[in-house]
Amino acid sequence: MATTKVDPKLSENNIANKAKTYQGLTSQQLIDAYRIMFTSRRLDDREILLKRQQKVYFQISGAGHEALGVAAALVLKPGYDWFYPYYRDRALCLALGATPLEMLLGAVGAADDPSSGGRQMPSHWAYKRLNVVTQSSCTGTQILQAVGCAEAGRYLARHPNASQKAGGDYRQFKDVQFRGDEVTYVSLGDGTTSEGEFWEALNTASNRRLPVIFCVEDNQYAISVPVEVQTAGGNISRLVSGFPSFHFEEIEGTDPVVAYASFKRAADYCRAGHGPAFVHAHVIRPYSHSLSDDERLYRPDSERQADAARDPVPRLQMFLLREGILDEKGINKIEKEVEEQIQADADRALDAPVPQPETIYHYVYSPDLDPTSAVFDAHPALPAPEAATEGKPAAASPNKSPQNKASLNKTMADLINATLRDEMRRDERIIIFGEDVADASREEYLKQKQVKGKGGVFKLTSGLQVEFGSDRVFNSPLAEANIVGRATGMATRGLKPVVEIQFFDYIWPAMMQLRDELPLIRWRSNNAFSAPVVVRVAIGGYLTGGAIYHSQCGESIFTHTPGLRVVFPSNALDAAGLLRTAIRCDDPVLFLEHKRLYRETYGRAPYPGPDYMIPFGKAKVVQAGTNLTVITYGAVVPRALQAAQKLEREHRISVELIDLRCLSPFDWDAIAASVKKTNRALIAYEDSLSWGYGAEISARIADQLFHHLDAPVKRVAATDTFVAYQPILENAILPQASDLFRAMKELAEF
Ligand SMILES: Cc1ncc(C[n+]2csc(CCOP(=O)(O)OP(=O)(O)O)c2C)c(N)n1
Ligand SMILES: [Mg+2]
C-alpha cells in the first residue's frame, strides 16, 4: 500500500495503543487505512454532490467496499503486482497510490484524467504507473484479461530475453516488466459471476495454476437482481469449490483486518506458485447501484438497515476508538484534513482544462508505428531454390522436386506457416494458441515420435510446437472468448499473441472481447495501454458442403469497429507479406484467411524470404483495364479474374480488377484513380449482399466520385441467406464467376 502522509504529531499524541498488532497490522497501518476509506467515501459523496449540480455526468460509488480495497492494497504492491479492478474499487486504487485529484479529474472528464483523458466514465480506473490496467464498463471482460496478464508474467519469467526491446517493430514502443513472484488481482461483483467468461477464467487459472487472486465483492445485488437469482443456491463459494489448485476464502469483507489476513494468505499462496486464489467477500452497497438507480424501489428499509450496521467506515472508526488507537480528536483531525483536501482537489478539477474536440482521433491506432507506411514496404527476396526452403513450411507442397520450377510455388497455407515460423524465430514475444493449433498437447507422444502432430485443423501451425516448445505454441480450451480475452491480457504486458479462431462462424463467443475490449484498449486509456494482438481466422465458403456453419463471412461487422485492422488476402504472397506486417505492427489485427484459398492453385508463390512485408491499406491492381472497375477481395478475386478474362476474350470489354487485400484501412486512392479512369464501378464480395462491405465502398463512390460516374454503382454478392449444404444451393447462394461475368457485362453496356 502506498503510504499516506500522517501528521507525526497525530501519531505521537493520539495513538494510545502502539505496540499491539492486528493480524500483523500495526496501529499506524489501521489509521492509514481509515484515512483512505474515509477519503474514498467522501469522494463518492463529493461526486454525488457534483452530479446533482450537473458538474459531473455520471457517478457510481465504491461505498461499502472500502475495507476490502485497503486490505488488498496492504498486501499487494503497486507497480509490481498487476491489477484488474472494477468500478467499486475506489479505495483499492487510492490505497495503491492514485490521488483524489486524479479521481476527480476523471469525474469531470478533464484532459488530464490519467485513466482515460475524459473518454470513459468515472471509476473506470487505469493508472499505468501502478500497474492498474484500463477497464471497461462490460461486466466480466476483465477476468480473462487478468488471466492472460498472469500468463504473460510467468512466460516472461521463463523467457527473460523476450522482454528486451528491439527496433523495427512494435517492441520498440512496448516496455515490458515482470517479477518472478508477481500476482494479478482481479475483482468483480456477485452478479458478474453469472457471465460465462468468469467460469472460463477460473477454468484456465486453475488448469495452469496461475497466480491470480479472484476477488468477488458480493454485495448481494446486481443493480436490482438479488444474488439468489444469479447464483444457484445463492453462494458462489459453494459453486466454485470444485476447481482444483485454488486457495479459497469466504470472508466478511467489511472488516479490514479480516480482509487483510485473507488477502495475505491468498497472496502467499499465489506467490509461492501453488495456483490461484478466490476471495469471496461479503460487503454492502449503501448508495444504490449508481446515481441512476434508487434501491428503495426493490429493497425494503429493513434490509438496508441491516446493511448499515456493517458499514465498513463507521465500523473501522468504532474499532479504532474501542482499541484506543485513536480518540475522537484524532478521528476528527483526519476527517477534517480529508474534507479540506477533497474540497481543494474538487476546485482544481473543476478548473482543469477539458479535452479538445480535435483530439478525438488520437490513439484509435498506434501513434508510434503506422502499418500503412513505407516502413512496412519490403520487397520479396529473389526466389531461389535455397531461399524457397528457408522458412521450412511444414504443410505439404504437391511438388516433390526442388529443381522443378513449380516446386518453388508455395500455397497460401505454406507461406502463412513459413511466416509464423520466421517471425517466431525472430521475436520471442510471439505466442501462438487456439483450438487444435498445437502439434500435440500430450507432448511426450511427439518426443517419443509416436505421432506426427496436428498443428491446426487446416495445418497452418503445423510443426511450430515441435520447433518452439509448448510454452510458445499450445492448445486453448474450446472457448473463443478465452482465446481473445487472454491474448488481450498478454499483449497488454508486451507479448505478441498470434491466436487462431478455428472458423469465422464460431468467432461470436469472443465478440465482447473483439468489439468492446481489444480494439478499444488504446483509445479508452488515452494511449496508456495497448494490446496489439493478431487474431487469425479461417473464413469463407465455396467449400462444397461447408454449409451454414463452415462458410460464413461477415467481415463488415469488424471493419465497423474503430481500432481494429482487418486484412483479407487472396493469394499466398499477399498472405505472407500482410501477416508479417500484422505481427510486427503495433495495432490489433483481424487476419482473415480464406479456407478455399489455403491450397488453391491460384495465387501460389515462391517463398519471399523472412522480411517480406506489405503495408496495410494498399490495394493491388490484379489487371489493368479501361471499361469498368471491379473492386473485390478474398476468394472472389480469382472468380472475378476468370470473368474478366472471359469478357475480354468474348466481348473485348476491358476490366480493371482491384484486389483490396486490406479492408480496414482500405485503399481509397486506388479505387478513386481507377473509377476516374473507367467511370464504372462494381463491388464484388462473398458475404451476403445487404449491409455488407460493398455498401460502404458504394456509398463513398457515390458521394465522392459522382461526377465521374457513367453508370450506377453495382454490387455482386451472396444472397441474403446463409450458405446451404447442398452444392446446387451453395452455388446459387455464393457469387459465381458467371454472376460476375453477367454483372460486369451489364455495367459495361449501361
Ligand atoms: C456485460 C454487461 N451487462 C450488463 C451491464 C450493465 N450493468 C452494469 S453493472 C451491472 C450489475 C453488476 O452487478 P455486480 O456484478 O453484482 O456488481 P455490483 O455493481 O453489485 O458491485 C449491470 C447489469 C454491463 N455493464 N455489462
Ligand atoms: Mg453486486
Side-chain angles (χ1 to χ4, degrees), residues 58 60-61 63 65 86-88 124 136-142 188-195 216-225 227 230 283-285 288-290 512 516:
F58 178 77
I60 192 156
S61 88
H65 295 228
Y86 86 124
Y87 46 84
R88 304 255 185 243
H124 288 52
S136 72
S137 300
C138 317
T139 54
T141 44
Q142 74 276 26
L188 56 140
D190 46 288
T192 300
T193 64
S194 300
E195 290 285 358
V216 173
E217 304 184 16
D218 184 350
N219 57 20
Q220 296 264 317
Y221 277 91
I223 309 185
S224 68
V225 183
V227 66
Q230 301 283 353
V283 293
I284 60 161
R285 193 197 69 183
S288 291
H289 172 70
S290 72
M512 183 75 106
D516 279 358

Side-chain angles (χ1 to χ4, degrees), residues 368-448:
D368 299 313
L369 200 51
D370 176 4
T372 69
S373 70
V375 174
F376 291 91
D377 201 352
H379 293 283
L382 278 180
E386 47 298 0
T389 55
E390 202 52 23
K392 286 191 200 128
S397 160
N399 305 295
K400 296 265 156 37
S401 160
Q403 270 69 47
N404 181 348
K405 189 163 175 279
S407 75
L408 297 181
N409 283 334
K410 303 294 176 189
T411 64
M412 185 190 275
D414 292 335
L415 289 193
I416 288 174
N417 180 274
T419 306
L420 293 171
R421 192 180 294 265
D422 286 341
E423 290 304 296
M424 289 192 83
R425 285 178 187 163
R426 181 181 171 275
D427 177 0
E428 208 180 346
R429 294 194 195 178
I430 297 174
I431 289 184
I432 288 182
F433 63 103
E435 294 157 17
D436 298 287
V437 302
D439 290 314
S441 288
R442 295 179 178 169
E443 56 182 17
E444 65 275 16
Y445 298 157
L446 291 169
K447 284 188 184 137
Q448 294 156 8

Side-chain angles (χ1 to χ4, degrees), residues 265-537:
R265 288 187 293 268
D268 288 349
Y269 183 85
C270 290
R271 287 201 207 286
H274 297 319
F278 189 90
V279 178
H280 176 196
H282 294 280
V283 293
I284 60 161
R285 193 197 69 183
Y287 282 10
S288 291
H289 172 70
S290 72
L291 219 55
S292 318
D293 172 49
D294 179 0
E295 68 175 1
R296 287 169 303 187
L297 296 174
Y298 53 86
R299 297 185 78 186
D301 279 348
S302 55
E303 210 180 84
R304 297 182 323 118
Q305 277 156 13
D307 269 9
R310 291 164 56 213
D311 191 320
V313 177
R315 184 179 182 147
L316 181 57
Q317 189 191 101
M318 295 304 292
F319 179 85
L320 294 175
L321 291 169
R322 200 171 57 237
E323 290 293 312
I325 295 172
L326 279 181
D327 59 15
E328 230 169 277
K329 221 170 101 199
I331 299 273
N332 288 342
K333 188 165 189 307
I334 290 176
E335 295 188 349
K336 186 161 169 285
E337 283 167 4
V338 168
E339 301 283 8
E340 284 170 3
Q341 186 189 359
I342 290 176
Q343 178 66 55
D345 288 342
D347 291 344
R348 279 177 69 189
L350 289 168
D351 278 346
V354 291
Q356 293 307 301
E358 56 271 21
T359 63
I360 53 178
Y361 290 112
H362 292 182
Y363 314 130
V364 176
Y365 300 103
S366 170
D368 299 313
L369 200 51
D370 176 4
T372 69
S373 70
V375 174
F376 291 91
D377 201 352
H379 293 283
L382 278 180
E386 47 298 0
T389 55
E390 202 52 23
K392 286 191 200 128
S397 160
N399 305 295
K400 296 265 156 37
S401 160
Q403 270 69 47
N404 181 348
K405 189 163 175 279
S407 75
L408 297 181
N409 283 334
K410 303 294 176 189
T411 64
M412 185 190 275
D414 292 335
L415 289 193
I416 288 174
N417 180 274
T419 306
L420 293 171
R421 192 180 294 265
D422 286 341
E423 290 304 296
M424 289 192 83
R425 285 178 187 163
R426 181 181 171 275
D427 177 0
E428 208 180 346
R429 294 194 195 178
I430 297 174
I431 289 184
I432 288 182
F433 63 103
E435 294 157 17
D436 298 287
V437 302
D439 290 314
S441 288
R442 295 179 178 169
E443 56 182 17
E444 65 275 16
Y445 298 157
L446 291 169
K447 284 188 184 137
Q448 294 156 8
K449 303 227 183 304
Q450 292 179 15
V451 297
K452 199 164 158 273
K454 186 163 178 72
V457 293
F458 297 103
K459 304 238 176 310
L460 274 277
T461 50
S462 175
L464 299 181
Q465 181 198 355
V466 169
E467 178 167 346
F468 299 103
S470 306
D471 244 16
R472 297 189 64 192
V473 183
F474 51 88
N475 287 324
S476 70
L478 204 174
E480 289 73 15
N482 181 294
I483 297 168
V484 180
R486 286 163 65 194
T488 302
M490 290 178 191
T492 306
R493 295 289 304 273
L495 296 185
K496 174 66 80 169
V498 181
V499 296
E500 180 176 303
I501 298 289
Q502 197 165 74
F503 291 93
F504 183 89
D505 316 63
Y506 311 127
I507 202 168
W508 313 117
M511 200 59 194
M512 183 75 106
Q513 294 286 346
L514 282 169
R515 167 74 191 175
D516 279 358
E517 295 293 330
L518 181 60
L520 270 89
I521 294 227
R522 190 188 291 277
W523 190 82
R524 78 176 187 218
S525 68
N526 210 18
N527 203 34
F529 295 92
S530 65
V533 173
V534 178
V535 183
R536 294 180 39 249
V537 192

Side-chain angles (χ1 to χ4, degrees), residues 609-671:
D611 288 308
Y612 176 51
M613 281 186 290
I614 300 171
F616 285 171
K618 301 283 181 285
K620 182 155 108 190
V621 178
V622 179
Q623 97 167 17
T626 51
N627 297 126
L628 79 146
T629 301
V630 174
I631 301 143
T632 188
Y633 53 91
V636 182
V637 173
R639 286 158 182 79
L641 183 61
Q642 198 190 334
Q645 286 169 346
K646 187 166 185 261
L647 210 55
E648 175 92 49
R649 261 194 331 267
E650 295 178 2
H651 300 280
R652 304 223 154 279
I653 293 171
S654 157
V655 175
E656 180 140 305
L657 181 57
I658 295 181
D659 177 359
L660 286 177
R661 311 197 286 191
C662 186
L663 306 185
S664 180
F666 72 96
D667 193 344
W668 172 249
D669 290 347
I671 295 172

